[in-house]
Amino acid sequence: MRSNSGTIRTHRAVTTLAALVAGALALSACSGGDSDKKGDGDTGGGATGSTLTLPKLNGEKLEVAAVWTGTEQANFKKVLAEFEKRTGAKVTFVPAQDPIINFLGSKIAGGQPPDVALLPQPGAIKQAVQKGWAKPLGADALKELRKNYSQGWQDIGKVDGKSYGVYYKAANKSLIWYNAKAFENAGAKEPKNWQDLLTTAQAVYDSGVTPFSVGGADGWTLTDWFENVYLSQAGPEKYDQLAQHKIKWTDPSVKQALTTLAQIWGKKDYVAGGADGALQTEFPASVTQTFTGGDQPKAAMVYEGDFAQVNIGDTKAKVGTDAKVFPFPAVGSTAPVVSGGDAAVVLKDSKAAQALATFLASPDAATIQAKLGGYLSPNKNVAELAYPNEVQRTIAKALIASGDDFRFDMSDQAPQAFGGTPGKGEWKDLQDFLKNPKDVAGTQAQLEKDAAAAYGNGS
């Protein structure tokens, strides 16, 4: 069982965060792009002078591995450049492939492990510890971690009570982005619940635009869809049970969630390119095709986390005016709040690697990337004003305000063979379901078979 006490939450607190996100986004969605906003409340990170002390590491060389590409990778390299400037170390970014555990395994087998890796799943942290690869965080990193993170975010980086992971990057994965012009032309409104979402989709469809863009070539986007529906419909306690495989995927609650998802996935005219088109659309394209094409985009809406802003930035659309956002609608009594994240884990226990972990646990590092956009930090001491627009500030504020009361992405808690491997396990099973949304029972049976094999239990 992975150490993940951060998932024992209250229904009330999750409800409160959902209400905060909903209210704040409603206020902020019309006022993006004010990146020059200043104020006296700027209290974090590098904005008002850093208190962080890093060692001199002249001549030291470090390698950092992560699966990030494109703009996200470029922005993270700017953070590494600041670390180089402050310490004198030379840092090389190593592009990794999913699943990163397999990538690291081949590097380690070849005698060339990176010094630090950014792991996108708590399950991957646990595997890295079990294999003897991960090193516990040193005293300086722990000090920054305790000062800057809520207990929930600290706990998700622990295995058997020891801290191994610094959650450098977080995600609010309960958002649907939409093309404001397409909504305006359709007379569509931001939905509050699932039935409203279906009504909105029909209005968009009637206006001549396909309602949804789905990045089905990347199975993880489909797991995120499922998790939001499941959390809202089945509730937090069932969510935790399914995340730990304490209930089977053949449970009636899973049937209900898949049947609900099929109300969108099963209408081929509701998904850009139909199921076949969606299964050939990778996540970045699922976003960009929603915000290009003038009055005739390929779709009006795309579901994914706050990080979709990076991809919106590759179009001419402006967040807050052309590209707006609403919280994932309530399917049951409560709107879902699902989070994800990437944790820095030390693989070589050197002074330089520990210093980098310390830097990544500080508000100084996160503030640099926050200012560049398309990034969210769980570090509570990053100033709100570091974020470049009101939409992003609101999403960050809601995440921090949730404290320990969030649910971490379910597939990221699973063993990587089930929840984090392209073409296998849950990713593949939900891709097959997108192709054939009528086969709810068959999908459940396959999910249970794959989960039982990966978790090593039958219940």
Side-chain angles (χ1 to χ4, degrees), residues 320-332:
T321 50
D322 309 312
K324 294 187 182 181
V325 66
F326 55 84
F328 198 98
V331 188

Side-chain angles (χ1 to χ4, degrees), residues 4-7 9 17 142-158 163 165-167 170 339 361 377-382 396 398-408:
N4 196 16
S5 56
T7 58
R9 318 279 180 225
L17 176 57
L142 284 173
K143 185 179 162 192
E144 285 299 309
L145 197 62
R146 288 165 186 156
K147 188 166 68 176
N148 300 318
Y149 290 80
S150 74
Q151 193 61 48
W153 283 104
Q154 291 182 48
D155 288 347
I156 294 168
K158 288 180 181 176
S163 293
V166 169
Y167 271 88
S339 183
S377 173
N379 187 317
K380 64 188 178 186
N381 290 319
V382 174
L399 182 79
I400 298 303
S402 73
D404 298 339
D405 302 313
F406 57 90
R407 280 298 188 284
F408 204 89

Side-chain angles (χ1 to χ4, degrees), residues 335-368:
V337 179
V338 176
S339 183
D342 296 87
V345 173
V346 173
L347 301 179
K348 282 188 191 171
D349 196 9
S350 65
K351 186 177 174 183
Q354 290 288 355
L356 181 58
T358 303
F359 181 58
L360 294 177
S362 76
D364 297 29
T367 297
I368 296 165

Side-chain angles (χ1 to χ4, degrees), residues 25 172-180 183 211-213 283 286-287 290-291 299-310 312 318-320 322-328 374 389 391-392 395:
L25 285 178
N172 178 334
K173 299 181 104 173
S174 297
L175 303 169
I176 294 181
W177 298 88
Y178 69 94
N179 184 312
F183 263 46
F212 295 96
S213 176
F283 167 67
S286 76
V287 179
T290 308
F291 299 103
M301 290 176 270
V302 60
Y303 156 71
E304 247 323 328
D306 59 283
F307 47 83
Q309 287 177 96
V310 170
I312 295 170
K318 295 277 181 291
V319 170
D322 309 312
K324 294 187 182 181
V325 66
F326 55 84
F328 198 98
N389 59 59
V391 169
Q392 186 72 13
I395 295 167

Side-chain angles (χ1 to χ4, degrees), residues 9-93:
R9 318 279 180 225
T10 67
H11 195 186
R12 180 194 59 75
V14 171
T15 308
T16 306
L17 176 57
L20 174 58
V21 174
L25 285 178
L27 288 172
S28 70
C30 299
S31 56
D34 52 345
S35 56
D36 58 345
K37 185 176 171 184
K38 298 282 183 284
D40 297 329
D42 203 347
T43 56
T48 54
S50 173
T51 57
L52 182 69
T53 306
L54 293 170
K56 284 292 165 211
L57 301 167
N58 294 327
E60 296 282 338
K61 290 182 178 176
L62 281 170
E63 285 190 347
V64 182
V67 295
W68 299 330
T69 58
T71 311
E72 195 168 35
Q73 183 188 120
N75 289 352
F76 182 58
K77 283 180 175 175
K78 289 176 184 170
V79 177
L80 298 178
E82 178 65 17
F83 178 78
E84 288 180 324
K85 194 168 118 186
R86 292 197 195 184
T87 62
K90 175 74 181 145
V91 187
T92 304
F93 181 89

Side-chain angles (χ1 to χ4, degrees), residues 101-188:
I101 284 290
N102 295 4
F103 172 84
L104 294 175
S106 60
K107 283 285 198 185
I108 288 163
Q112 294 181 308
D115 298 83
V116 174
L118 277 295
L119 301 184
Q121 294 103 4
I125 298 174
K126 190 180 180 196
Q127 280 182 275
V129 172
Q130 288 170 337
K131 289 172 184 291
W133 301 346
K135 313 300 179 202
L137 294 172
D140 291 342
L142 284 173
K143 185 179 162 192
E144 285 299 309
L145 197 62
R146 288 165 186 156
K147 188 166 68 176
N148 300 318
Y149 290 80
S150 74
Q151 193 61 48
W153 283 104
Q154 291 182 48
D155 288 347
I156 294 168
K158 288 180 181 176
V159 178
D160 298 331
K162 251 190 195 162
S163 293
Y164 289 89
V166 169
Y167 271 88
Y168 171 71
K169 183 176 185 290
N172 178 334
K173 299 181 104 173
S174 297
L175 303 169
I176 294 181
W177 298 88
Y178 69 94
N179 184 312
K181 193 71 181 165
F183 263 46
E184 188 187 321
N185 291 346

